[in-house]
Amino acid sequence: KQEVTQIPAALSVPEGENLVLNCSFTDSAIYNLQWFRQDPGKGLTSLLLIQSSQREQTSGRLNASLDKSSGRSTLYIAASQPGDSATYLCAVSRGTSGSRLTFGEGTQLTVNP
Amino acid sequence: NAGVTQTPKFQVLKTGQSMTLQCAQDMNHEYMSWYRQDPGMGLRLIHYSVGAGITDQGEVPNGYNVSRSTTEDFPLRLLSAAPSQTSVYFCASKILASSSYEQYFGPGTRLTVT
Protein backbone atom coordinates (compact mmCIF):
# COMPACT_ATOMS: atom_id res chain seq x y z
CA LYS A 1 0.00 0.00 0.00
CA GLN A 2 1.36 3.42 -0.99
CA GLU A 3 2.20 5.70 1.92
CA VAL A 4 3.15 9.35 1.55
CA THR A 5 4.95 11.25 4.29
CA GLN A 6 5.63 14.96 4.49
CA ILE A 7 8.25 16.49 6.71
CA PRO A 8 8.13 18.81 8.55
CA ALA A 9 4.47 18.91 9.62
CA ALA A 10 4.78 22.62 10.34
CA LEU A 11 7.33 25.28 9.48
CA SER A 12 7.63 28.93 10.48
CA VAL A 13 10.13 31.16 8.69
CA PRO A 14 10.84 34.89 8.36
CA GLU A 15 9.95 36.63 5.13
CA GLY A 16 12.58 36.36 2.40
CA GLU A 17 13.94 33.00 3.42
CA ASN A 18 14.39 30.18 0.92
CA LEU A 19 12.85 26.94 2.12
CA VAL A 20 12.43 23.29 1.24
CA LEU A 21 9.46 21.05 1.89
CA ASN A 22 9.93 17.30 1.74
CA CYS A 23 7.71 14.48 0.52
CA SER A 24 8.54 10.77 0.52
CA PHE A 25 6.58 7.81 -0.82
CA THR A 26 6.98 4.07 -0.36
CA ASP A 27 6.05 2.70 -3.82
CA SER A 28 8.02 4.08 -6.76
CA ALA A 29 5.46 2.81 -9.33
CA ILE A 30 3.77 6.17 -9.78
CA TYR A 31 2.53 8.06 -12.84
CA ASN A 32 3.21 11.51 -11.50
CA LEU A 33 3.53 13.61 -8.36
CA GLN A 34 1.59 16.78 -7.71
CA TRP A 35 2.15 19.56 -5.20
CA PHE A 36 -0.95 21.41 -4.00
CA ARG A 37 -1.56 24.46 -1.87
CA GLN A 38 -4.49 24.63 0.55
CA ASP A 39 -5.53 27.84 2.29
CA PRO A 40 -7.57 27.57 5.52
CA GLY A 41 -11.15 26.56 4.81
CA LYS A 42 -10.52 26.37 1.08
CA GLY A 43 -10.03 23.76 -1.62
CA LEU A 44 -6.77 22.57 -3.15
CA THR A 45 -4.91 24.51 -5.81
CA SER A 46 -2.46 22.63 -8.01
CA LEU A 47 1.02 24.17 -7.98
CA LEU A 48 3.21 21.78 -9.96
CA LEU A 49 2.88 18.36 -11.57
CA ILE A 50 5.96 16.25 -12.26
CA GLN A 51 5.62 13.29 -14.58
CA SER A 52 7.39 10.10 -13.47
CA SER A 53 9.88 10.50 -16.34
CA GLN A 54 10.80 14.05 -15.29
CA ARG A 55 13.28 15.25 -12.66
CA GLU A 56 11.90 18.71 -11.90
CA GLN A 57 9.36 21.38 -12.72
CA THR A 58 9.48 25.11 -12.12
CA SER A 59 6.82 27.77 -11.82
CA GLY A 60 7.89 31.23 -10.76
CA ARG A 61 9.49 31.03 -7.29
CA LEU A 62 8.57 27.36 -6.97
CA ASN A 63 10.72 24.42 -8.01
CA ALA A 64 9.76 20.81 -7.46
CA SER A 65 12.10 17.87 -7.91
CA LEU A 66 11.38 14.16 -8.14
CA ASP A 67 13.66 11.21 -7.46
CA LYS A 68 11.40 8.27 -8.19
CA SER A 69 13.96 5.60 -7.41
CA SER A 70 14.49 6.87 -3.87
CA GLY A 71 10.82 7.78 -3.40
CA ARG A 72 11.42 11.46 -2.70
CA SER A 73 10.27 14.87 -3.87
CA THR A 74 11.12 18.35 -2.66
CA LEU A 75 9.33 21.64 -3.13
CA TYR A 76 11.68 24.61 -3.05
CA ILE A 77 10.20 28.05 -2.41
CA ALA A 78 12.51 30.97 -3.10
CA ALA A 79 12.30 34.31 -1.35
CA SER A 80 9.26 33.39 0.72
CA GLN A 81 6.47 35.94 1.27
CA PRO A 82 3.67 36.16 3.86
CA GLY A 83 1.23 35.30 1.06
CA ASP A 84 2.93 31.90 0.79
CA SER A 85 1.49 30.95 4.18
CA ALA A 86 -0.70 27.87 3.60
CA THR A 87 -0.66 24.10 3.87
CA TYR A 88 1.30 22.36 1.14
CA LEU A 89 0.25 18.86 0.14
CA CYS A 90 2.00 16.38 -2.08
CA ALA A 91 0.18 13.55 -3.81
CA VAL A 92 1.37 10.63 -5.92
CA SER A 93 -0.82 9.04 -8.55
CA ARG A 94 -1.71 5.58 -9.72
CA GLY A 95 -4.52 4.02 -11.77
CA THR A 96 -5.76 5.00 -15.24
CA SER A 97 -3.68 7.94 -16.49
CA GLY A 98 -2.51 8.58 -12.96
CA SER A 99 -5.93 9.63 -11.76
CA ARG A 100 -6.08 8.17 -8.28
CA LEU A 101 -4.12 10.24 -5.79
CA THR A 102 -2.55 9.25 -2.49
CA PHE A 103 -1.88 12.29 -0.34
CA GLY A 104 0.52 13.16 2.41
CA GLU A 105 -0.78 14.98 5.47
CA GLY A 106 0.78 18.24 4.44
CA THR A 107 3.24 20.83 5.73
CA GLN A 108 1.70 23.92 7.34
CA LEU A 109 3.87 26.88 6.36
CA THR A 110 3.83 30.26 8.10
CA VAL A 111 5.89 33.09 6.65
CA ASN A 112 6.27 35.93 9.16
CA PRO A 113 6.61 39.56 7.97
CA ASN B 1 -15.37 28.30 -16.72
CA ALA B 2 -16.65 27.90 -13.17
CA GLY B 3 -14.34 24.88 -12.74
CA VAL B 4 -15.43 22.38 -10.08
CA THR B 5 -18.37 23.49 -7.94
CA GLN B 6 -19.74 21.85 -4.80
CA THR B 7 -22.93 22.39 -2.84
CA PRO B 8 -23.66 22.88 -0.04
CA LYS B 9 -20.63 24.53 1.58
CA PHE B 10 -21.71 23.49 5.09
CA GLN B 11 -24.16 20.88 6.35
CA VAL B 12 -25.18 19.53 9.74
CA LEU B 13 -26.94 16.17 9.86
CA LYS B 14 -28.32 14.02 12.62
CA THR B 15 -27.23 10.39 12.84
CA GLY B 16 -29.29 8.27 10.46
CA GLN B 17 -30.29 11.07 8.12
CA SER B 18 -29.49 10.89 4.44
CA MET B 19 -28.24 13.55 2.08
CA THR B 20 -26.54 14.13 -1.26
CA LEU B 21 -23.44 16.23 -1.77
CA GLN B 22 -23.46 17.79 -5.20
CA CYS B 23 -20.46 18.17 -7.49
CA ALA B 24 -20.39 19.61 -10.99
CA GLN B 25 -17.66 20.56 -13.46
CA ASP B 26 -17.88 22.47 -16.71
CA MET B 27 -14.54 21.46 -18.22
CA ASN B 28 -15.77 18.28 -19.96
CA HIS B 29 -13.46 16.15 -17.79
CA GLU B 30 -14.01 12.42 -18.04
CA TYR B 31 -12.58 11.65 -14.60
CA MET B 32 -14.27 12.74 -11.38
CA SER B 33 -13.66 11.67 -7.82
CA TRP B 34 -14.58 12.28 -4.18
CA TYR B 35 -12.13 12.60 -1.29
CA ARG B 36 -12.61 13.17 2.40
CA GLN B 37 -10.13 15.12 4.50
CA ASP B 38 -9.70 14.36 8.18
CA PRO B 39 -7.14 15.75 10.64
CA GLY B 40 -4.10 13.50 10.87
CA MET B 41 -5.18 11.35 7.92
CA GLY B 42 -4.82 13.52 4.85
CA LEU B 43 -7.20 13.20 1.93
CA ARG B 44 -8.54 9.74 1.18
CA LEU B 45 -10.30 8.59 -1.99
CA ILE B 46 -13.94 7.54 -1.53
CA HIS B 47 -15.26 6.83 -5.05
CA TYR B 48 -14.26 7.75 -8.57
CA SER B 49 -15.63 7.67 -12.11
CA VAL B 50 -13.89 7.49 -15.47
CA GLY B 51 -16.98 8.50 -17.43
CA ALA B 52 -20.75 8.59 -17.49
CA GLY B 53 -22.18 5.30 -16.28
CA ILE B 54 -18.87 4.05 -14.83
CA THR B 55 -17.99 4.28 -11.13
CA ASP B 56 -15.61 2.44 -8.83
CA GLN B 57 -14.61 2.33 -5.19
CA GLY B 58 -11.62 4.06 -3.67
CA GLU B 59 -9.97 3.50 -0.30
CA VAL B 60 -12.89 4.35 1.99
CA PRO B 61 -16.18 3.66 0.15
CA ASN B 62 -18.28 2.24 3.00
CA GLY B 63 -21.36 4.33 3.79
CA TYR B 64 -21.28 6.23 0.50
CA ASN B 65 -22.95 5.74 -2.88
CA VAL B 66 -22.25 7.45 -6.18
CA SER B 67 -23.66 7.49 -9.69
CA ARG B 68 -22.60 9.28 -12.87
CA SER B 69 -25.42 9.87 -15.31
CA THR B 70 -23.78 12.83 -17.08
CA THR B 71 -20.21 13.96 -17.73
CA GLU B 72 -20.80 17.12 -15.69
CA ASP B 73 -22.24 15.80 -12.43
CA PHE B 74 -21.00 13.35 -9.81
CA PRO B 75 -23.16 13.38 -6.65
CA LEU B 76 -22.12 11.62 -3.44
CA ARG B 77 -24.90 10.09 -1.35
CA LEU B 78 -24.81 9.34 2.36
CA LEU B 79 -27.62 6.84 2.97
CA SER B 80 -27.55 6.82 6.78
CA ALA B 81 -25.15 9.38 8.21
CA ALA B 82 -22.86 8.40 11.09
CA PRO B 83 -20.66 10.63 13.31
CA SER B 84 -17.61 8.96 11.70
CA GLN B 85 -18.59 10.68 8.45
CA THR B 86 -17.97 14.11 9.93
CA SER B 87 -15.34 15.46 7.58
CA VAL B 88 -14.58 17.88 4.78
CA TYR B 89 -15.47 16.43 1.38
CA PHE B 90 -13.74 17.44 -1.83
CA CYS B 91 -14.69 16.68 -5.39
CA ALA B 92 -12.03 16.64 -8.11
CA SER B 93 -11.86 16.22 -11.87
CA LYS B 94 -9.28 15.82 -14.62
CA ILE B 95 -8.80 14.97 -18.26
CA LEU B 96 -8.32 11.22 -18.45
CA ALA B 97 -6.24 11.05 -21.61
CA SER B 98 -2.84 11.45 -20.01
CA SER B 99 -1.07 11.54 -16.68
CA SER B 100 0.32 14.92 -17.67
CA TYR B 101 -2.97 16.62 -16.81
CA GLU B 102 -3.46 17.99 -13.31
CA GLN B 103 -6.46 17.50 -11.08
CA TYR B 104 -8.81 20.34 -10.23
CA PHE B 105 -10.51 20.42 -6.85
CA GLY B 106 -13.74 22.02 -5.70
CA PRO B 107 -13.99 24.28 -2.62
CA GLY B 108 -15.24 21.49 -0.36
CA THR B 109 -18.31 20.67 1.74
CA ARG B 110 -17.87 20.71 5.51
CA LEU B 111 -20.19 18.05 6.99
CA THR B 112 -20.94 17.56 10.67
CA VAL B 113 -22.96 14.54 11.84
CA THR B 114 -24.29 14.77 15.41
Side-chain angles (χ1 to χ4, degrees), chain A:
Chain A
K1 180 187 171 188
Q2 178 74 271
E3 292 182 2
V4 180
T5 304
Q6 292 187 244
I7 295 173
L11 184 63
S12 182
V13 299
E15 182 177 3
E17 202 162 284
N18 302 325
L19 56 100
V20 174
L21 307 181
N22 296 292
C23 172
S24 61
F25 48 95
T26 55
D27 185 350
S28 62
I30 64 171
Y31 280 86
N32 60 40
L33 183 145
Q34 271 188 264
W35 282 94
F36 293 90
R37 170 187 172 133
Q38 186 177 27
D39 293 287
K42 303 289 187 184
L44 282 67
T45 300
S46 180
L47 297 173
L48 290 165
L49 181 150
I50 311 177
Q51 291 272 67
S52 61
S53 58
Q54 296 174 321
R55 299 285 289 183
E56 65 177 337
Q57 281 285 348
T58 298
S59 176
R61 294 182 294 109
L62 304 179
N63 176 276
S65 68
L66 174 63
D67 184 342
K68 204 172 80 150
S69 60
S70 68
R72 293 181 183 181
S73 177
T74 61
L75 179 67
Y76 175 82
I77 303 177
S80 59
Q81 303 170 356
D84 294 330
S85 297
T87 296
Y88 291 80
L89 300 161
C90 77
V92 296
S93 72
R94 66 194 192 284
T96 305
S97 299
S99 304
R100 303 207 300 275
L101 300 179
T102 301
F103 282 85
E105 291 182 37
T107 294
Q108 187 173 1
L109 173 66
T110 303
V111 181
N112 301 299

Side-chain angles (χ1 to χ4, degrees), chain B residues 5 19 28 43-44 47 54 58 64 78 84 88 91 96 99 104 106 112:
Chain B
T5 58
M19 80 159 295
N28 204 31
L43 280 90
R44 292 177 293 167
H47 284 287
I54 306 169
Y64 307 95
L78 283 70
S84 61
V88 182
C91 180
L96 196 56
S99 61
Y104 292 85
T112 302

